[in-house]
Structure formats: structure tokens, C-alpha cells
Amino acid sequence: MMQDRDQKHKALKLCVANRWFPQLEVDVQPVRAIRVKAPLVTDLDVFASMPNVFRGFQTLVFDCKTKAKESPVNRSLWLRGVLDRLNADQGFCILRKEAIQLDHRMLATRLGIILLAEDEFDLYAAATSMAYKGIASNTSDIDLWDKFFAIPSAYPKLQEGLVFIRSAYWMIDDPAEACRKTLATLRALNSELDPAKPEHLAIFLDFAALFARSLAVVVSNIFKAYLHPANQVELSEALLTMLYGGHEAYEHRNQLYKRVKYQNKGTTPMDLSLPEWERFLILTRQLLDAPAESQRVPLILREVGFGILNRGSSFPFASSLCTESPQAARFALMVPDYLARAAKLPPEFGQASETVLLPLQPVK
Amino acid sequence: MAENTKNKPEPSEIAARCHEIQTGLGMTEVPEFDELRVVGMAVRLALHIRGLPAINFLTLKLVATHFLGIPSIGVKRVAETLAEVEFVKLVTEGQTIKAVVPTVPYYETLYNGLGQYAQTRGFNESEQLSVELLCRLSKAPEKVDTLISTTGAEKKLLSRVVDVGKEGAYLRVHRSRGRDIALSPTYFSENAEIYADMVAGVGAKQVQKIIQALGKAQGIPLSIIQKRKEIAGISFTDDEMKLVVRLAQDGAVKPPSISTTHSGENFFLFTPTPSGAALAPTKRDIYEKAMAIVAAVRQGQFLPAKYAIRNPGGLIYTLKRDLKLSRATTEATQQYKKLVHLRVAQLHPVGQGFSELRIIETPENKEALTIALALVDASVPAGLEVDEAAKQALQQDQSYVESLVASGELKRRTTVTLSAEQQLELENLFLK
């Protein structure tokens, strides 16, 4: 049974009501580990990504604490350290404590942390988000998160995928690297994933959500520098440079790649790029049509994935997300299509996602 | 026929030609054309829906029929074709299409994708010949006899294809120096020397005079020229005025038009060459956009409601730099409505009838602005005053017809009768 369940549930609800992208229970790993299996630093209760036009996403950490013993101010000092580790912008500390010293609250506020007693959270949430009280979505349903995290107990081979979703992904600072690694991890699972199983579809769509999240940041950066690249070559160069950590790093990798791949072959070597590069360029160029809207794609995809996990046939909340942002709805259709092809998954993955996402497209 | 072709056209060129043929023909029925029309319509529709979120199919049908010259019964097939090349996704209920979600790619991929589709589907003989002729004529005008011998096409088939081309105003046959010369008016810009040679040979001073005058004042409304009988200070005789109209018909001066409910259509005249630059086949829609921008600005310059645009070049420069105008005006809505139809710009109402013009930022639109700037920068024509009657009419609801279609319509509607001498002169121009 999940600890501090009620508090986490409320945090999830607040995130979804504000259209932030929440991640429940993120395991934090050390930055540079000495051991192969490094011991975890800590775990975060809820880690939320808030769309930001300039930065891609701002991030928030919700820390839910049941122990009455610990002093609130100590907890907020600890949380400040966690925020720094994750480059997060804002912290929430929810405590089962009746009275929190006002001075401690003030100190916490200066550290970028909001200290709240458990019974105050509802007031805070209702005052900052109109939708908080009536929210009904799959992503804010904590039972579905339990179900999602339990997938590896039925399908042990998918454990690695779950670890990536719950931890490894969130430890990557660079969005382009996160794109690459999300794709690579999904590719590694391609022989295990079966489109006939809703659990597998849910995992696929969650990977798509994470991929979309990082891609949105990449697109935001490209947009700031290039607006709309004048031609395909320019876009391609911009993306390669960004994906592989700068021009020099790309050249270095590319040379290694060509040497290894085309060692004893007479064929003309192809340059290093993501799989299905042409499609990736097309997808990225489409996202550049509305870079800010692309930041709303992850929540749509996770909502749909969890809906499938819940054996749902209608997706009312995902549908309202799509109506709020028709461009995001369109992008949400395109991301799984690319990802399924690039990860060489059975084609049914792309088709199944399309079957769900097409009817959600808002039509005036 | 195809095996005689020395250089097989690239897929992107095939798609571009189909687009051109379809744009020219519009709603005209040509029984022998099938796939070609579909590909042409597909390019046209793809260009217009690119980057948009899901579109209700009924709305799409209306817009396609009204603005893009795609017959309503053809829209479904075009949408299915686009779905086949993965340029759109279709939301369907049974056999019915409910909505279309565009995933149309940018850059050359659009033309390549549809060109490859055309190659896979295969064209019939007439279609192949039409595309091939257009590909060849875009490079240089050719003698009809040479076309027959090199394409290996039957004379009957070729003459039918040429007739269809004439109907669509994407192909012309002129009799010159005792031979039939076929040329593509769309790409006349690339053949300026040959055209000059043709007219120079017969001393067509009048034609040259008009072309030169138009070059100095690109996008002047035809009605203004007719009223003032001059362009940029160069005055015309009545006979020369008829030549201006005649040249417009021949597609030598491509006229975009704005139609109003009260005074019919107003045509804005351009020379065949966009500021001397050669027009790449896939840049056709960009040039159309550029002409539309110039036409809109010229309208504000010559036929404004209250405040005339004094420096059209400066205005386009501002648009190019800021992608919007420095302040909202009451006239913007009427003046730039057609740019909204062409998806060059958006009008943002800011209250009290004021609207602000904002360019939709795409590579194509920016390029169109660059071309538009070059078009108007040639010079600022002087001595033209505001026509109150035309100005009034232009304030009414407008619909914009793209240049090729407008050219075709003008041709169908009015045949300008030339004076006996002028007729003779024109015949001589192309006969000798």
C-alpha cells in the first residue's frame, strides 16, 4: 500500500486540474554514481512539469509527510536540496502537523517551498485552481497509478521500462538526451511488447508521453533560435547538433558510428541520426507550428494510456484536453505514430493509438 | 511516349505540374484527365490545410469548392489520396469522413510525396503528355512540330492536349514566323529573351511599352489604368489600353483579382517576371502569395477608404521585419481579407472595428514578402489619384480569386474586340 496516499492523490489532482504533467513516486539517483547499482538518494512523492512558453517546462516537487515527529522547517531545508538536485523551481511540503510556525513558513517561502498542513492543502488547491474540486481524470486516479506500477509483476520483462519511466528519465538534465534515451529504452523492449495487451499499450503511450515532453523542450529551443527553419537541411542540422550535444560531439560520434557500422562493407555510409530521421524531421517541423501547444501533448498521451489500462472505451477528460488545444490534439496523434515506427514496434501499436486518438480530435 | 522522353521529370516536378494544370483548369471538366486532376487537387488542398488542427469535413468541402476550385464530389477522393500518402489522417464513421487531421509535411517533401504517388498510380496517355509538355515548355517555348516528333505523340492527341491547356490558360499556341509555337505563360519569366526576340522581330513597341510601364508599377489595378489611361506617368492611347487588357488575357501579365458585389471584379496587373528572377516550379504558390500581398497593398495605395498607403515598399518592409503592422487600422479588415484566405496573414480584431494584420510565420510567407518587396520596389508611381467610385465598391465584401483562375475567368467572360489595325498588328506580332 502506498504511503501518504491521500496527500499524493490530492497533489495529483491539483496537477491535473492545472494541466501540469505529474509523475508519481520518482526515485532519485545520485548524480555521478560509483557503484553500478547505486543506492537511491531518496524518492519524490509527486514531480510535476508545468508548461512554460520560454523554458519548455517548469518543475515542481510535492513532498508528502506523515510523520509527526519531524520539524517542518527541517523538512523544507531537506526539500531545498532535492530541488537543487533536480533543478526544480518550486517545492510543496504537505505535513500531518497541526500547527506550523509562521516564521518557519516564511523561511520556507524564501527557499521556494510552500509549507502546508494536510488540512490546508484543499484550501490552497481550491483557491489556486478552479477545476480542482470537480476533477475526474485517469491521470489523477491514484488506483490507476498502483495498477500501472504493478505491471512488471505480471510482465517481469517490462521492469526495465517501468524503471525508466519512474526514475531514469527524470534524472536526465538534457532534453535531447532524454529524447534519445526514451527511444533507445523503448527499442530495447520492442520484442517484449504485445499490442494485444492493454498494459503494454499503456506503457507504450507513457513512453510516448515522456518522449513528447522532451521533444517539446527541444522544439521550444529550436523555435527560440531558428523560429521556423528556412529549409529541411537547416532543420536537420539544428536537430542533429542539439540531439548529440553540439557540433563537435556529433561529428565525433558520427565518425565512430560510420567506422563501426560500415567496417567491411562497400556501401555508402549513412550519417548518424535518430531512426526514421525523415519522419522525425516532419514531426518536429509540425510541432514548430505551435511550440507552446506541444507542451500539452504529454498529459493527453498519459491520460489516454491510463484510460486504456483502465479498460476504458471513452476518454472524456482526454477529449476535453484535446478541445482545449486542437493543435496539441493533432500532435498527440503524430508522436506515437513516429515513436512506434522508430522503436520498430509491431505496427498495431501505432494503429491502436490512432484508433483512440483520432476520435478525440476536436471538430468544430 | 514515355520511353522517348530523354529526361524523365522528377516526382516533385510532376506534382508541381499537376498542381499548375489543376489550378488552371479549376472546375472545367476534362473527361480524359483523372489521376492528374486528383494529384493536382491534392497538392492544392495540402498546401492550404498544412499546419491546421482537425478540420470538419463539411467545412473542408465548402472551402475546397469555393476557394480552391475542387468540385465537391471530388473532395472525398482527394482527402483519401492525401490519407494514402500519409499527409492527413481521416476521422471516419463507417464510409463517411467526419474530419480531416492534417499532417502535411513542409518543404519539398510535400511535392515529392505526391509526385511519387502519381508515379505509382500511373497516368494515362493524355495526362502523361500534358505533364511532359508543361515540363518542357517551362524551360523554353517549342515548335509544335518538334513536340510531335520528339514526344512521338499522335497529332490528334497532341492537339487535344494543347486545346485543354489553352482552356486552362497554362498553355498557349502562338503562330509566329510561319510556325506554331507553344509556350507556357506561367513560366514566361524564364523565357524573357525569347519573348523579347519575338516581339522585337516585329517591332512591337506598344507591347514593350506596356510591359516596361507595368514593370515600374507592379500590381496596379486594371480599373485605375483604364480610368487614367496611364501607368507611372506613361500615358496610353485607347488602342494601347485594349492591348493591356489583351495582354492580361494572354497570361502575360498575371492578374490576381478582387471581386466585390457591387462593381464586379478588379484586376491587379503584374509583368510575367517577378523582378527578373526565375520562378522555380515549386515556388509557384509563393509567387501567388507575393502578388496577393502587392495587390492588397496597391488597393490601399490607390483605392483606400480614408488613409492612403503612401509608401507601399516601406509598408511591406515593415511587414517583413516585424511580421505585423505597427498599428491597427479600420481599413485592414477589408484590405487584407484576401491574405487571410491565402493563409499569408491573420487579422486580429482589437475592438471598435480596428484590426491588426499579422503575418503567419512560415518560410513560404516570408519568401513571398521578399518577392512582394522586390515587386513594389521597382518604383513608386506618381500622378495617380484616388478613384472615389472604385474605392466605395472595394469597401464591400470581397472574395479573392487566385491569379491563374482569374486569368482564365477573364478570358472566358470577356473577349475584347480589337480595332482592325490593332488586330492586324497583333497578328503580325505572332505570325511573322
Side-chain angles (χ1 to χ4, degrees):
Chain A
M1 190 64 177
M2 216 179 267
Q3 281 186 331
D4 317 319
R5 203 178 162 78
D6 191 38
Q7 295 173 356
K8 287 175 186 169
H9 187 198
K10 284 178 177 175
L12 282 175
K13 275 168 60 185
L14 178 65
C15 291
V16 177
N18 282 318
R19 309 301 186 248
W20 304 338
F21 180 68
Q23 180 69 39
L24 190 68
E25 299 195 332
V26 176
D27 293 329
V28 180
Q29 294 161 8
V31 180
R32 285 195 176 83
I34 293 167
R35 294 176 189 207
V36 178
K37 273 210 161 179
L40 293 179
V41 175
T42 181
D43 71 318
L44 309 176
D45 293 319
V46 177
F47 187 66
S49 311
M50 179 201 264
N52 179 296
V53 184
F54 306 105
R55 290 175 44 193
F57 290 97
Q58 276 180 295
T59 47
L60 307 102
V61 176
F62 289 85
D63 176 48
C64 309
K65 209 62 212 158
T66 42
K67 281 183 214 152
K69 278 186 205 163
E70 200 165 4
S71 107
V73 76
N74 276 357
R75 195 68 194 172
S76 45
L77 287 168
W78 169 85
L79 186 56
R80 181 66 249 168
V82 173
L83 295 182
D84 288 346
R85 159 69 183 96
L86 290 158
N87 295 323
D89 301 273
Q90 180 71 46
F92 282 85
C93 225
I94 309 167
L95 298 148
R96 185 172 287 179
K97 196 111 186 170
E98 264 140 46
I100 303 169
Q101 293 285 330
L102 192 57
D103 282 332
H104 288 173
R105 284 184 196 248
M106 294 297 284
L107 174 67
T109 312
R110 286 181 59 186
L111 294 173
I113 288 150
I114 298 172
L115 266 182
L116 290 169
E118 196 179 18
D119 54 352
E120 291 170 334
F121 188 81
D122 278 336
L123 174 83
Y124 177 89
T128 53
S129 172
M130 298 284 280
Y132 174 72
K133 279 191 175 158
I135 193 84
S137 74
N138 296 320
T139 311
S140 64
D141 183 345
I142 200 156
D143 294 336
L144 277 174
W145 281 93
D146 280 336
K147 215 170 168 179
F148 186 71
F149 290 160
I151 292 176
S153 55
Y155 306 97
K157 298 268 185 195
L158 300 182
Q159 175 67 31
E160 206 183 311
L162 249 291
V163 168
F164 183 82
I165 291 172
R166 293 182 67 167
S167 176
Y169 173 83
W170 302 100
M171 298 304 117
I172 307 167
D173 289 331
D174 181 41
E177 187 187 340
C179 273
R180 281 191 345 251
K181 292 200 167 154
T182 310
L183 180 53
T185 313
L186 186 63
R187 253 169 107 90
L189 293 174
N190 67 5
S191 54
E192 299 300 331
L193 287 167
D194 175 5
K197 301 197 169 78
E199 289 83 1
H200 293 208
L201 258 177
I203 290 213
F204 165 67
L205 282 166
D206 224 64
F207 265 95
L210 296 185
F211 185 78
R213 183 187 175 276
S214 300
L215 187 58
V217 186
V218 171
V219 163
S220 162
N221 290 338
I222 297 234
F223 185 70
K224 281 182 285 185
Y226 293 80
L227 296 175
H228 290 156
N231 52 54
Q232 191 147 326
V233 178
E234 198 178 300
L235 176 63
S236 181
E237 276 172 6
L239 277 169
L240 284 175
T241 311
M242 207 169 271
L243 281 167
Y244 295 94
H247 184 70
E248 259 184 53
Y250 172 72
E251 286 302 326
H252 181 64
R253 279 181 190 226
N254 191 21
Q255 279 178 11
L256 280 177
Y257 170 79
K258 281 192 200 167
R259 280 196 191 185
V260 176
K261 182 144 194 197
Y262 299 95
Q263 231 166 1
N264 299 313
K265 292 176 194 164
T267 49
T268 327
M270 296 276 288
D271 282 323
L272 171 67
S273 61
L274 289 192
E276 299 283 340
W277 184 243
E278 286 276 317
R279 285 181 190 275
F280 184 72
L281 287 178
I282 292 173
L283 172 67
T284 317
R285 182 59 190 82
Q286 297 285 339
L287 262 58
L288 280 168
D289 275 338
E293 299 302 302
S294 69
Q295 294 160 8
R296 296 168 171 272
V297 178
L299 188 59
I300 298 177
L301 290 173
R302 174 162 281 171
E303 178 66 20
V304 169
F306 276 30
I308 291 173
L309 185 66
N310 201 22
R311 307 288 197 273
S313 54
S314 69
F315 304 85
F317 185 68
S319 171
S320 61
L321 288 178
C322 288
T323 313
E324 283 166 22
S325 172
Q327 286 287 30
R330 186 167 74 94
F331 301 154
L333 190 63
M334 300 176 76
V335 171
D337 183 60
Y338 165 74
L339 202 63
R341 290 172 199 263
K344 295 203 186 320
L345 297 183
E348 289 91 340
F349 276 103
Q351 289 156 10
S353 318
E354 195 175 306
T355 314
V356 177
L357 285 157
L358 254 186
L360 300 181
Q361 300 298 316
V363 180
K364 278 173 201 153
Chain B
M1 182 201 78
E3 54 271 18
N4 291 339
T5 314
K6 280 171 201 159
N7 301 314
K8 251 194 154 184
E10 292 288 313
S12 63
E13 189 168 8
I14 294 177
R17 301 295 168 226
C18 293
H19 178 214
E20 221 171 281
I21 292 173
Q22 170 54 28
T23 310
L25 287 172
M27 296 283 202
T28 314
E29 271 296 320
V30 182
E32 59 262 54
F33 284 0
D34 187 44
E35 284 299 336
L36 185 151
R37 302 290 296 267
V38 175
V39 173
M41 290 173 194
V43 173
R44 198 161 172 72
L45 189 61
L47 283 170
H48 284 82
I49 62 174
R50 181 163 61 188
L52 298 177
I55 308 161
N56 185 329
F57 189 62
L58 287 177
T59 315
L60 182 77
K61 242 178 157 174
L62 274 178
V63 173
T65 311
H66 197 69
F67 290 107
L68 309 179
I70 300 173
S72 61
I73 47 161
V75 180
K76 189 175 179 197
R77 187 167 161 201
V78 172
E80 282 164 354
T81 303
L82 286 175
E84 207 170 312
V85 292
E86 296 184 25
F87 283 6
V88 299
K89 293 192 187 287
L90 302 177
V91 184
T92 50
E93 255 179 40
Q95 293 292 306
T96 325
I97 301 175
K98 303 290 282 184
V100 171
V101 189
T103 54
V104 184
Y106 282 81
Y107 313 122
E108 291 285 304
T109 321
L110 191 157
Y111 290 95
N112 276 327
L114 282 163
Q116 279 160 7
Y117 169 85
Q119 280 179 330
T120 345
R121 296 295 296 231
F123 282 159
N124 65 33
E125 219 178 349
S126 299
E127 293 172 329
Q128 276 186 35
L129 188 59
S130 295
V131 171
E132 196 190 339
L133 282 193
L134 214 53
C135 288
R136 292 175 64 148
L137 294 180
S138 70
K139 295 179 182 80
E142 287 198 48
K143 290 174 202 159
V144 174
D145 294 343
T146 318
L147 287 175
I148 293 172
S149 62
T150 53
T151 58
E154 281 175 37
K155 199 174 176 186
K156 211 173 129 193
L157 180 70
L158 191 99
S159 77
R160 168 69 183 158
V161 163
V162 169
D163 282 347
V164 172
K166 284 198 265 190
E167 181 65 31
Y170 58 83
L171 207 149
R172 294 257 176 284
V173 173
H174 289 299
R175 192 146 177 93
S176 171
R177 300 172 199 242
R179 290 190 180 93
D180 283 327
I181 309 278
L183 58 85
S184 159
T186 321
Y187 295 98
F188 220 46
S189 53
E190 291 177 6
N191 311 312
E193 321 79 5
I194 296 150
Y195 183 63
D197 174 51
M198 279 171 70
V199 284
V202 293
K205 283 182 188 151
Q206 282 182 318
V207 181
Q208 281 178 337
K209 181 180 167 189
I210 292 161
I211 295 272
Q212 278 169 5
L214 279 178
K216 289 180 185 167
Q218 297 273 16
I220 269 196
L222 181 57
S223 60
I224 291 279
I225 305 173
Q226 281 171 323
K227 194 114 184 159
R228 309 287 310 169
K229 295 197 172 70
E230 62 161 12
I231 301 174
I234 302 166
S235 55
F236 296 130
T237 62
D238 284 352
D239 290 347
E240 284 168 338
M241 276 315 302
K242 286 178 183 167
L243 260 177
V244 172
V245 179
R246 185 64 199 253
L247 280 175
Q249 284 182 347
D250 272 359
V253 275
K254 297 158 187 169
S257 76
I258 296 167
S259 60
T260 64
T261 43
H262 294 271
S263 69
E265 281 181 308
N266 267 285
F267 292 88
F268 296 81
L269 295 191
F270 292 86
T271 57
T273 317
S275 69
L279 200 62
T282 49
K283 293 283 169 66
R284 166 106 204 109
D285 56 308
I286 297 175
Y287 185 45
E288 275 183 15
K289 285 177 174 185
M291 289 196 292
I293 295 165
V294 175
V297 172
R298 289 297 189 204
Q299 187 186 312
Q301 183 184 5
F302 295 115
L303 310 151
K306 272 189 197 154
Y307 306 105
I309 294 169
R310 270 176 292 180
N311 181 358
L315 185 128
I316 295 179
Y317 182 78
T318 311
L319 271 180
K320 192 170 163 256
R321 188 189 57 198
D322 304 340
L323 297 175
K324 65 182 180 102
L325 292 180
S326 50
R327 61 190 179 88
T329 64
T330 44
E331 295 184 31
T333 318
Q334 290 293 314
Q335 198 161 305
Y336 300 114
K337 202 173 173 186
K338 54 191 172 285
L339 297 187
V340 177
H341 294 161
L342 275 179
R343 302 198 51 241
V344 175
Q346 288 174 326
L347 282 167
H348 290 257
V350 292
Q352 295 176 334
F354 282 67
S355 292
E356 193 182 77
L357 183 75
R358 288 188 205 158
I359 299 293
I360 300 167
E361 192 173 328
T362 64
E364 286 92 346
N365 286 349
K366 285 170 109 176
E367 202 172 339
L369 280 168
T370 311
I371 296 173
L373 186 60
L375 283 177
V376 297
D377 250 11
S379 75
V380 180
L384 288 158
E385 285 158 32
V386 173
D387 183 314
E388 287 298 325
K391 186 186 81 180
Q392 285 294 322
L394 281 165
Q395 295 305 301
Q396 307 303 317
D397 189 36
Q398 307 163 349
S399 70
Y400 187 79
V401 188
E402 285 177 42
S403 63
L404 265 181
V405 180
S407 173
E409 272 176 9
L410 183 63
K411 180 98 181 164
R412 276 197 280 276
R413 243 194 326 274
T414 53
T415 312
V416 178
T417 41
L418 302 176
S419 71
E421 297 118 82
Q422 219 169 24
Q423 190 89 45
L424 191 69
E425 193 179 343
L426 257 167
E427 276 167 17
N428 284 346
L429 270 178
F430 298 107
L431 267 172
K432 277 186 189 172

